[in-house]
Amino acid sequence: MATGIDPATVRLQAAVLRPVHPGWIWSPDGDEIWMLDVDDAGQPYTRAAHLLTGDERVVSHLWGRFSRTGRYILTAGQQHETARVHDRNTLATWEVPRIGSDPLPNPAETHLAGSLWNSGALAPFMYPADVVRTRMDGGDRQVVAQVLGGVAGWRADGMLLVIGGDNLETATTLRVIGPDGQLHEQWPLGRQVLAANVSPSGRYMTFAVVLDARGRNGQFAIDLFSGRRWTLPSRMSLRWLPNESGLLAVSLRRAPGRPFRLWRLAVPGFYMEGALTDPNRHDVDMEVLDWRISPSGAALAFRAAREAHLHVLTWERAQAN
């Protein structure tokens, strides 16, 4: 079994029995769920709930985008298109100007990349954005591209991944851009691209194409080094397993009154390996786009529909023959 998951061991349990804001994340070690809360003064902060003990604690008196290790928290700065960076190790805080409102740290947590929309008489999406790359401290700022789109992520070798087009009439492309702004690779993706999701190591990316010619729409995976593409099952919400042995998928459609069902896609090959959950055993009623796999790859959490509580599915590795 390529994903190494034994479906017979899947268990479902409640984790956080109170409403959880949709921006929640797993802690870097996978023992806690980190979530947005608000103090008595109305200020947002980060609270953790331990999945085994149920104990809760304050992680930080800030809330924002966490870097992969949890060291940095990124929030909007005081000025337009400025980011504020907080280092949880040193407790230092600084602002990075003209980087865009939601910049993305690289996996090594040494650099940021963001999309900076220039103001004008027309709506921002009518203009190409400046793709900006800086050090985490804001130094060595460079505009490495201009594109009607934005940053998708980082490749395994540190190259920047940018999705977009030159104007509203051209097809959307994936561009691999070096630190100096040099274009290293470029592959057309489709008319309009949604839900781009770079794999944990930066080797692959999944994405959806819409509004294209008949037969060209759907969900796909692409090798970020060779440009090879695979067609994936459509109308599914996808998440990468941390070791990239596969993806888990939730169908965006279900029979009335029946639970959502999760599936396993094996990598390489991107073929449907089998089901993860059994609708007769696992009553999965989720907000279909609000679920995340743990850093260990042995669990996933999802926010339930209606009450917004968090539930967890756990599993074990399959035994080798």
Side-chain angles (χ1 to χ4, degrees):
M1 300 172 67
T3 60
I5 296 173
D6 183 355
T9 66
V10 175
R11 301 290 183 269
L12 174 63
Q13 63 187 51
V16 182
L17 294 178
R18 61 185 178 88
V20 174
H21 187 273
W24 63 274
I25 59 173
W26 286 90
S27 66
D29 61 11
D31 291 338
E32 297 175 320
I33 295 294
W34 291 0
M35 50 196 168
L36 169 67
D37 213 331
V38 178
D39 62 22
D40 293 339
Q43 297 300 309
Y45 69 98
T46 304
R47 176 175 289 276
H50 198 282
L51 294 177
L52 291 181
T53 66
D55 294 339
E56 297 195 5
R57 67 183 182 94
V58 176
V59 175
S60 171
H61 291 286
L62 295 173
W63 172 259
R65 179 198 284 274
F66 280 81
S67 63
R68 181 173 295 187
T69 65
R71 174 175 176 174
Y72 297 101
I73 306 175
L74 280 71
T75 61
Q78 294 284 345
Q79 302 298 319
H80 181 61
E81 303 284 20
T82 296
R84 176 174 293 178
V85 183
H86 174 73
D87 186 335
R88 294 180 58 232
N89 287 0
T90 66
L91 302 183
T93 300
W94 62 90
E95 294 207 349
V96 180
R98 295 186 58 75
I99 187 66
S101 59
D102 191 23
L104 184 65
N106 66 341
E109 300 183 358
T110 60
H111 288 77
L112 294 172
S115 304
L116 182 67
W117 297 96
N118 296 307
S119 60
L122 300 177
F125 69 85
M126 303 289 289
Y127 290 93
D130 289 340
V131 177
V132 180
R133 183 182 188 273
T134 75
R135 292 198 307 264
M136 188 66 75
D137 63 6
D140 191 26
R141 182 183 185 277
Q142 294 178 295
V143 176
V144 296
Q146 286 188 322
V147 65
L148 203 64
V151 176
W154 300 82
R155 201 167 71 169
D157 58 359
M159 299 290 184
L160 190 60
L161 303 169
V162 176
I163 291 179
D166 294 324
N167 55 63
L168 293 174
E169 302 302 321
T170 59
T172 300
T173 62
L174 172 63
R175 308 177 190 196
V176 181
I177 299 174
D180 57 357
Q182 181 180 355
L183 178 65
H184 287 255
E185 307 281 359
Q186 179 171 278
W187 299 291
L189 298 182
R191 179 63 179 172
Q192 184 172 335
V193 174
L194 305 173
N197 187 4
V198 178
S199 66
S201 78
R203 170 68 187 276
Y204 302 103
M205 185 183 77
T206 59
F207 61 97
V209 175
V210 298
L211 303 180
D212 211 323
R214 185 174 182 180
R216 296 182 182 177
N217 296 309
Q219 287 186 270
F220 305 92
I222 186 170
D223 186 307
L224 296 172
F225 288 85
S226 69
R228 181 183 178 186
R229 287 172 61 154
W230 296 264
T231 301
L232 306 179
S234 294
R235 300 184 182 277
M236 304 191 87
S237 174
L238 303 169
R239 300 288 188 272
W240 285 97
L241 289 168
N243 65 0
E244 293 187 10
S245 62
L247 300 108
L248 299 183
V250 179
S251 175
L252 298 179
R253 292 181 176 178
R254 61 171 173 168
R258 297 288 288 168
F260 285 100
R261 196 168 186 186
L262 286 99
W263 303 87
R264 296 168 293 133
L265 277 68
V267 177
F270 294 92
Y271 60 89
M272 185 72 78
E273 186 180 42
L276 178 74
T277 58
D278 180 344
N280 296 317
R281 295 177 50 231
H282 307 114
D283 186 14
V284 178
D285 184 17
M286 66 164 63
E287 296 286 351
V288 293
L289 299 179
D290 200 356
W291 62 285
R292 297 168 178 83
I293 300 174
S294 71
S296 69
L300 69 83
F302 64 88
R303 202 167 61 102
R306 293 177 295 277
E307 76 271 18
H309 296 176
L310 276 184
H311 298 261
V312 174
L313 284 163
T314 61
W315 54 82
E316 298 176 6
R317 306 290 294 180
Q319 295 296 321
N321 293 330

